[in-house]
């Protein structure tokens, strides 16, 4: 069946705008790209793209809507996601404070930690997006508004490939730019601030999720 190019274009524009908006996915890539090996940052980008693909498939097949429609199941997803984001936020803030203290004590630049493997970067990227309940709601809302029963399987496959490609390209671009040695060198002194801002954003998202549960 023929592809719905107008639908694909609309989704491409909306998804690109969503990708460019500062959020947990964006700040995680910035954090890893500026502080870890390039391979780790690129693995994180791939993990985020894979998670977005999973959200896309779950939404297109109606699984996400089933989760959203089940109060107990959706509550469990929200609590799991909030707990993970809170844990990531705490870790980032703790790391930021440690880097700041080290800089104050040594009065020299702190080199990138390069402590995470590519697999750890991939897992962090995939988990951050996949366990974020806001991402689940975003895709449900997006697809329920634009995807009709008349949309062909071919178009749905194209949508899945499109969103994966856009996500991978965007996050990989950030990873490639910020992981350059010259850029990392310039951002070394900003490491504590980057970590603290990352932690603050993750904690803020957690608080928003929890506030909606109360």
């Amino acid at each position: 069946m023929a592809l719905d190019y107008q639908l694909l274009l609309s989704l491409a524009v909306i998804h690109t705008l969503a990708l460019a908006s500062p959020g947990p996915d964006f700040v995680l890539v910035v954090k890893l790209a500026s502080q870890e090996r390039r391979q780790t940052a690129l693995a994180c980008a791939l993990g985020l793209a894979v998670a977005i693909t999973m959200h896309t498939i779950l939404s297109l097949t109606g699984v996400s809507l089933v989760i959203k429609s089940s109060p107990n199941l959706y509550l469990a997803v929200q609590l799991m996601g909030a707990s993970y984001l809170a844990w990531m936020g705490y870790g980032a803030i703790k790391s930021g404070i440690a880097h700041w203290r080290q800089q104050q004590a040594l009065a020299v630049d702190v080199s990138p930690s390069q402590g995470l493997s590519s697999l750890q970067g991939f897992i962090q990227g995939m988990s951050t997006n996949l366990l974020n309940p806001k991402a689940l709601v975003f895709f449900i809302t997006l697809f329920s508004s634009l995807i009709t029963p008349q949309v062909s399987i071919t178009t749905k496959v194209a949508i899945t490939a499109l969103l994966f490609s856009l996500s991978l390209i965007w996050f990989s671009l950030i990873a490639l730019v910020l992981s350059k040695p010259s850029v990392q060198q310039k951002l070394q002194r900003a490491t504590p601030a980057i970590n603290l801002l990352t932690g603050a954003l993750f904690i803020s998202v957690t608080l928003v999720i929890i506030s909606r549960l109360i």
Side-chain angles (χ1 to χ4, degrees):
M1 297 181 69
L3 292 175
D4 188 336
Y5 291 102
Q6 184 175 357
L7 175 59
L8 291 173
L9 178 60
S10 299
L11 287 172
V13 172
I14 294 172
H15 188 57
T16 300
L17 292 174
L19 289 173
S21 302
D25 297 347
F26 179 83
V27 298
L28 179 62
V29 176
V30 170
K31 177 180 181 297
L32 295 187
S34 62
Q35 300 172 28
E36 302 286 342
R37 296 177 302 116
R38 170 168 288 181
Q39 293 90 331
T40 300
L42 288 173
C44 174
L46 177 60
L48 288 167
V50 169
I52 288 171
T53 301
M54 294 174 69
H55 274 299
T56 301
I57 294 173
L58 292 175
S59 295
L60 289 174
T61 56
V63 175
S64 292
L65 188 58
V66 172
I67 295 175
K68 183 70 168 56
S69 301
S70 173
N72 292 334
L73 186 56
Y74 186 51
L75 176 61
V77 170
Q78 288 180 297
L79 290 175
M80 184 184 304
S83 299
Y84 177 79
L85 294 175
W87 177 75
M88 288 287 291
Y90 169 75
I93 291 174
K94 183 179 178 181
S95 177
I97 294 174
H99 275 89
W100 180 78
R101 287 177 176 172
Q102 187 174 0
Q103 285 185 355
Q104 294 300 308
L106 301 177
V108 296
D109 290 340
V110 179
S111 59
S113 62
Q114 299 187 355
L116 295 180
S117 66
S118 296
L119 178 59
Q120 289 173 313
F122 176 83
I123 292 174
Q124 280 198 12
M126 185 174 67
S127 300
T128 296
N129 183 274
L130 193 60
L131 294 178
N132 186 354
K134 294 183 67 178
L136 176 70
V137 174
F138 170 77
F139 282 101
I140 291 175
T141 304
L142 178 63
F143 290 139
S144 62
S145 302
L146 297 179
I147 306 298
T148 64
Q150 287 71 39
V151 175
S152 66
I153 295 295
T154 304
T155 298
K156 290 182 178 180
V157 172
I159 289 172
T160 304
L162 174 66
L163 298 193
F164 171 81
S165 300
L166 289 174
S167 304
L168 183 60
I169 291 171
W170 171 251
F171 291 125
S172 294
L173 180 62
I174 298 173
L176 288 171
V177 171
L178 296 184
S179 63
K180 291 182 179 180
S182 58
V183 176
Q184 284 192 333
Q185 186 72 23
K186 293 178 181 179
L187 291 175
Q188 282 179 15
R189 285 195 174 276
T191 293
I194 292 174
N195 286 338
L196 290 174
L197 288 174
T198 300
L201 179 60
F202 274 77
I203 295 297
S204 297
V205 174
T206 299
L207 294 176
V208 170
I209 295 172
I210 297 299
S211 66
R212 292 177 178 176
L213 298 179
I214 300 176

